[in-house]
């Protein structure tokens, strides 16, 4: 499968614990995005990377959230001191960079479903 | 910031009928409008998109129309089939912008 992959697919944790998710984008894609999706809602933007640079962060991304893309390939999203309100599906997407052919489409991964007890 | 509203939240149609889902956006600088289909437990997948320099785009049974003046765009599915049943999301993005701003989604049920 050459699409976007995410691990783990499911994570159950207790309130106050730290969790880390991984996203592997499509190999030639420079841009990588993180979204959060709660039940009955559309995905909400969290942050995005152009190669290894984190260029935009949403106000939704509190200081408990940190994302990295150290080598411009895979990315990790860490949530510290999880709260019940963090329970959601965390989606990763990737795309080519602007100006390239077909850069518009964002390809989504299967998501990581987080449940905070 | 950009806001996208989507209606209806649920839509039931008989197999073979047409389905229409409508979205409005707030930021006039938005000029890219994709539609994603998400089946239960699966990732969102792009089904059609439109740029603001085009008023309509078709791909087999699916079409999207855009009215920039009114800031709304619609998804049209003709000859619906049971496999069209899913959640459909509209989204908007500014030129060379980064984030997609999604609507809340429409649950489409096609009854056979």
């Amino acid at each position: 499968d050459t699409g976007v992959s995410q691990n783990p697919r499911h994570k159950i944790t207790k309130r106050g614990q730290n969790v880390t998710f991984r996203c592997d984008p499509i190999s030639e894609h420079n841009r990588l995005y993180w979204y959060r999706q709660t039940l009955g809602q559309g995905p909400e933007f969290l942050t995005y990377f152009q190669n290894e640079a984190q260029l935009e962060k949403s106000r939704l991304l509190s200081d408990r959230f940190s994302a990295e893309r150290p080598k411009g390939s895979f990315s990790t999203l860490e949530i510290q001191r999880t709260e019940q309100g963090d329970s959601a599906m965390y989606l990763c997407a990737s795309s080519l960079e602007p100006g390239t052919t077909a850069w518009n489409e964002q390809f989504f991964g299967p998501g990581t479903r987080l449940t905070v007890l | 910031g950009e806001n996208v509203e989507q209606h209806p939240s649920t839509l039931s149609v008989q197999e073979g009928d047409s389905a229409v889902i409508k979205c409005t956006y707030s930021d006039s600088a938005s000029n890219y409008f994709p539609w994603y289909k998400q089946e239960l437990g699966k990732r969102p997948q792009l089904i059609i998109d439109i740029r603001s320099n085009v008023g309509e785009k078709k791909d087999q049974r699916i079409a999207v129309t855009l009215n920039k003046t009114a800031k709304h765009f619609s998804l049209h599915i003709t000859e619906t089939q049971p496999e069209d049943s899913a959640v459909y999301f509209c989204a908007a993005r500014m030129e060379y912008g980064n984030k997609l701003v999604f609507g809340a989604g429409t649950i489409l049920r096609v009854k056979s």
Side-chain angles (χ1 to χ4, degrees), chain B residues 4-13 18-24 34-38 47-48 62-66 72-78 80 84-91 103-110:
Chain B
V4 176
E5 296 199 355
Q6 183 171 347
H7 300 280
S9 56
T10 60
L11 179 60
S12 290
V13 298
S18 295
V20 180
I21 302 170
K22 299 182 179 182
C23 289
T24 59
W35 287 88
Y36 283 82
K37 175 183 180 182
Q38 188 174 29
I47 54 171
I48 195 167
I62 295 172
V64 58
T65 58
L66 171 66
H72 66 71
F73 56 112
S74 301
L75 177 72
H76 305 253
I77 306 174
T78 58
T80 53
D84 294 330
S85 296
V87 182
Y88 291 81
F89 294 98
C90 62
T106 296
I107 300 172
L108 174 64
R109 296 191 184 93
V110 180

Side-chain angles (χ1 to χ4, degrees), chain A residues 84-98:
Chain A
Q84 287 184 325
D86 297 332
S87 295
M89 176 74 84
Y90 289 83
L91 291 164
C92 175
S94 69
S95 74
L96 296 166
E97 61 186 281

Side-chain angles (χ1 to χ4, degrees), chain B:
Chain B
E2 176 68 281
N3 183 51
V4 176
E5 296 199 355
Q6 183 171 347
H7 300 280
S9 56
T10 60
L11 179 60
S12 290
V13 298
Q14 202 65 35
E15 181 178 0
D17 288 350
S18 295
V20 180
I21 302 170
K22 299 182 179 182
C23 289
T24 59
Y25 60 99
S26 59
D27 194 329
S28 57
S30 295
N31 71 350
Y32 172 68
F33 308 93
W35 287 88
Y36 283 82
K37 175 183 180 182
Q38 188 174 29
E39 297 178 40
L40 191 62
K42 296 193 175 179
R43 70 190 75 194
Q45 292 197 301
L46 181 74
I47 54 171
I48 195 167
D49 56 9
I50 192 168
R51 297 286 303 272
S52 59
N53 57 349
V54 175
E56 183 175 0
K57 185 177 177 181
K58 275 187 179 181
D59 183 3
Q60 300 182 339
R61 298 186 296 108
I62 295 172
V64 58
T65 58
L66 171 66
N67 183 326
K68 277 208 74 177
T69 303
K71 291 192 283 188
H72 66 71
F73 56 112
S74 301
L75 177 72
H76 305 253
I77 306 174
T78 58
E79 300 171 27
T80 53
Q81 301 167 3
E83 51 264 39
D84 294 330
S85 296
V87 182
Y88 291 81
F89 294 98
C90 62
R93 191 193 65 205
M94 292 185 290
E95 177 71 21
Y96 293 110
N98 313 304
K99 62 184 179 184
L100 291 174
V101 178
F102 284 85
T106 296
I107 300 172
L108 174 64
R109 296 191 184 93
V110 180
K111 298 176 285 187
S112 55

